[in-house]
Amino acid sequence: MAKLKTIYLAIIFLFLYAPIGVLIAQSFNESRYRGNWTGFTLKWYESLFENEDILNALSNTISIGFFSALIATIFALITCLALREVGKKWRAMFMSAANVPILNADIVTGISLMLLFLGLGMKLGYGSILLAHVVFNVPYVMLCIMPQLIALDKSFYEAALDLGASPFKAFTSVVLPELRPSIFAGFLLAFTMSADDFIITYFTRGAGVDTLPTAIYSQLKLGIHPEMYALSTLVFFTILIFVILFAMNRKKI
Amino acid sequence: MFRSVGIRNLFLAPFCIWAGVFIFVPLIFIAWYGVTNADGNFSLENLEMIFQTEFFRSLEVSVILALVSTIVCLILAYPLCLILVERAKSAGLIITLLFVLPLWMNTLLSTMAWQTILEKNGILNQLLRFFSLPDFTLINTSAAVVIGMIYNYLPYMVLPLYVALSKIDLSVIEAAKDLGASTWKTFYKIILPLSLPGAISGVTMVFIPALTTFAISALLGGGKLLLIGNVIEQEFTFEYDWHLGSALSIVLMIFIVVNMIITLAFDNSHEETSD
């Protein structure tokens, strides 16, 4: 039985990592055509740092991810603080309203935001992508912060007030430290969702502005630039290292 | 936490404005485009178009493929999560994280890699030829699209299911076994009902994106297999018929709402039994 279980894990593991293996192999492939192995090379890793389109898309992805996560986190925190004090029914209603952009299909959210931006006469571009990402990131952060905020013991905050702290001081020195893990988790989740989003970005971007996913999509028809494989290999191993470090730390605690 | 209701409402106000502008007005835009024609007059012709054979066919294929992928994901994820929960005790979190890690690989690139694996002279066929087995070409079929969907959305099934299963108190399972229940009966009577909420959120998280994708079908279906997502994308980016595209989006939203109602119904019945 234990052997059978290991075999099952191995099969699923193979299924999940076969394409990743193909991509990594592709990044070392001499030929720029996929599925055609002509020899080992590192040249794509060198030319990656000269490919302005990819570097631009990468910097857009990172900056949109960072700023949309930051804005969404601040916004979600303010809203959750207020929602803590409304009744249970109202809170559930507000939360479901906030969740609409992520419960809805990405394609519907993307199109509806595009119609809104064009309807308001906004120019599609970096700003519209950023705004759209904040829209779908707010509920993710709220989902992370809300449970911990509800579980938070209010009396510490009140004690700080009784001892003469200003509400702001009491908030930053009592409430905020308690919430730090969930704020951090929300920020990270929002950043990941933003960096990985393709469909909503696709509909809300303007000509000439690309994030990595949309850059990849536009390259699909003419063939992916092999530098893209090199970049995703680097990204994959970076995340793998972080995950391993995280798991090892957790084990110690 | 606030000295007065007024201050609390001051904190709540930005969200209310935000939700109005960026959550509800966009949906009104879609609804408005969906029920008007190019001249701006009210008309239901776009919504009626859906019953035209080609669109209806796309919708039908999308629902079938999404259902198949969801069911396969569920069947694959249950034993996987059960094994992972069991192994997590000795091996720690790392083994579970490895099964979610592919989420961080770009969807489009890994789907592209499936193209390399499944195509006529792809890796799968080269392997089969190496072992002198007959060719097995899946690319540009609905099976390839289903594989792509399962690949991309399996982690979304694994995550909630794993969380639900890891919360089950092991002594309950042991008690069932001590009382003479078979493995299958323990699963059916104990594990399944207790993990149902996780399974349901997993089903939603797989079904909705699978129903509405257009990238996976474009890459692995060879442009011949038009899912409802492909049709909507074409209406917005090639045909520029926003009215028809919006009407089709409204139809998608009906599916999402139905899905949400089913989920909520399951959630409520579960809460009643657990309270």
Side-chain angles (χ1 to χ4, degrees):
Chain A
M1 195 64 189
K3 227 178 201 166
L4 209 68
K5 285 178 183 170
T6 309
I7 292 170
Y8 188 76
L9 282 189
I11 291 172
I12 304 254
F13 191 82
L14 189 69
F15 173 72
L16 287 175
Y17 281 88
I20 293 176
V22 170
L23 290 176
I24 292 172
Q26 210 77 258
S27 74
F28 296 113
N29 188 359
E30 179 87 53
S31 162
R32 58 181 305 128
Y33 302 103
R34 53 185 187 82
N36 179 20
W37 180 265
T38 51
F40 181 87
T41 178
L42 286 174
K43 67 178 174 188
W44 308 123
Y45 287 86
E46 284 163 30
S47 53
L48 169 65
F49 296 98
E50 287 147 26
N51 190 321
E52 259 178 47
D53 288 344
I54 293 183
L55 291 182
N56 264 336
L58 176 67
S59 85
N60 280 341
T61 306
I62 293 175
S63 71
I64 289 175
F66 179 81
F67 287 114
S68 71
L70 187 69
I71 298 168
T73 306
I74 296 169
F75 198 73
L77 182 62
I78 292 173
T79 310
C80 284
L81 285 173
L83 285 182
R84 189 186 193 276
E85 304 302 316
V86 301
K88 210 176 168 187
K89 272 227 167 88
W90 279 99
R91 191 190 306 140
M93 236 183 71
F94 272 102
M95 287 301 276
S96 356
N99 283 341
V100 168
I102 54 175
L103 288 176
N104 220 331
D106 280 357
I107 193 169
V108 179
T109 305
I111 286 170
S112 69
L113 286 170
M114 178 189 89
L115 294 176
L116 173 81
F117 295 152
L118 292 176
L120 294 176
M122 240 178 100
K123 207 170 161 285
L124 295 184
Y126 185 91
S128 60
I129 303 177
L130 181 63
L131 207 50
H133 281 219
V134 177
V135 171
F136 70 74
N137 272 340
V138 167
Y140 283 119
V141 185
M142 280 173 72
L143 285 175
C144 288
I145 296 181
M146 204 69 224
Q148 206 176 9
L149 189 60
I150 289 174
L152 190 87
D153 193 346
K154 214 161 105 175
S155 51
F156 288 111
Y157 173 77
E158 277 158 3
L161 288 184
D162 288 345
L163 292 170
S166 68
F168 182 74
K169 173 88 181 151
F171 172 74
T172 50
S173 51
V174 177
V175 179
L176 217 49
E178 285 284 315
L179 288 179
R180 204 159 46 201
S182 62
I183 291 173
F184 187 63
F187 178 87
L188 223 55
L189 180 65
F191 182 86
T192 313
M193 288 298 167
S194 164
D196 199 45
D197 174 72
F198 161 62
I199 297 179
I200 294 171
T201 313
Y202 179 73
F203 284 107
T204 53
R205 82 197 175 97
V209 185
D210 266 316
T211 63
L212 280 177
T214 61
I216 292 169
Y217 192 71
S218 47
Q219 286 177 11
L220 282 176
K221 280 156 206 149
L222 301 166
I224 300 269
H225 298 215
E227 290 90 350
M228 208 55 115
Y229 299 127
L231 177 62
S232 30
T233 304
L234 293 177
V235 171
F236 180 77
F237 281 109
T238 312
I239 291 168
L240 184 67
I241 290 168
F242 271 111
V243 164
I244 291 173
L245 287 178
F246 168 79
M248 276 163 54
N249 271 326
R250 273 291 284 266
K251 219 175 167 185
K252 266 182 236 155
I253 299 164
Chain B
M1 216 174 268
F2 298 101
R3 253 174 298 181
S4 72
V5 175
I7 297 177
R8 183 200 76 194
N9 289 348
L10 197 69
F11 271 65
L12 203 52
F15 178 76
C16 295
I17 298 166
W18 171 268
V21 176
F22 292 107
I23 298 176
F24 293 106
V25 174
L27 295 180
I28 293 167
F29 265 99
I30 284 212
W32 184 74
Y33 271 100
V35 297
T36 52
N37 58 22
D39 308 322
N41 296 323
F42 178 81
S43 108
L44 288 177
E45 61 186 90
N46 290 309
L47 282 168
E48 283 161 11
M49 287 275 267
I50 289 140
F51 296 100
Q52 271 189 6
T53 43
E54 43 168 340
F55 295 134
F56 199 76
R57 179 81 195 125
S58 288
L59 190 61
E60 207 176 48
V61 174
S62 307
V63 172
I64 294 171
L65 295 192
L67 270 180
V68 171
S69 327
T70 310
I71 293 167
V72 176
C73 279
L74 193 60
I75 294 172
L76 288 177
Y78 249 110
L80 176 67
C81 293
L82 283 170
I83 300 171
L84 286 178
V85 169
E86 195 184 280
R87 296 271 156 111
K89 270 174 277 158
S90 53
L93 260 180
I94 184 81
I95 182 158
T96 310
L97 287 171
L98 281 182
F99 282 85
V100 203
L101 195 60
L103 265 183
W104 276 278
M105 204 65 178
N106 183 279
T107 314
L108 295 167
L109 281 180
S110 45
T111 310
M112 179 89 179
W114 275 108
Q115 223 175 19
T116 314
I117 295 174
L118 297 176
E119 65 198 352
K120 201 152 177 275
N121 288 312
I123 294 169
L124 180 68
N125 274 342
Q126 284 177 17
L127 269 178
L128 289 174
R129 279 173 212 159
F130 183 77
F131 292 108
S132 314
L133 292 162
D135 272 17
F136 190 60
T137 306
L138 279 173
I139 196 75
N140 300 350
T141 63
S142 41
V145 177
V146 170
I147 291 179
M149 287 175 177
I150 296 170
Y151 179 81
N152 278 304
Y153 306 131
L154 183 63
Y156 290 115
M157 183 70 85
V158 171
L159 271 177
L161 200 54
Y162 178 83
V163 172
L165 284 171
S166 60
K167 277 185 190 155
I168 297 179
D169 189 351
L170 283 179
S171 56
V172 182
I173 297 170
E174 275 160 24
K177 285 194 174 149
D178 286 347
L179 293 169
S182 64
T183 311
W184 168 245
K185 199 160 187 188
T186 317
F187 175 77
Y188 183 73
K189 288 268 185 192
I190 310 279
I191 298 172
L192 190 65
L194 286 177
S195 60
L196 203 58
I200 288 167
S201 39
V203 166
T204 312
M205 285 172 80
V206 174
F207 182 74
I208 298 291
L211 179 72
T212 56
T213 181
F214 63 90
I216 297 174
S217 41
L219 279 171
L220 298 174
K224 273 174 274 171
L225 196 84
L226 284 184
L227 299 186
I228 192 74
N230 300 90
V231 178
I232 296 177
E233 192 243 359
Q234 281 184 359
E235 292 304 329
F236 276 96
T237 52
F238 297 112
E239 311 277 342
Y240 291 104
D241 189 346
W242 291 7
H243 299 277
L244 182 57
S246 298
L248 293 170
S249 306
I250 294 176
V251 176
L252 272 190
M253 271 158 64
I254 294 172
F255 274 90
I256 293 159
V257 170
V258 170
N259 189 297
M260 274 164 65
I261 291 171
I262 296 173
T263 313
L264 277 177
F266 266 110
D267 258 8
N268 286 340
S269 65
H270 178 76
E271 264 166 34
E272 275 159 31
T273 49
S274 65
D275 280 345

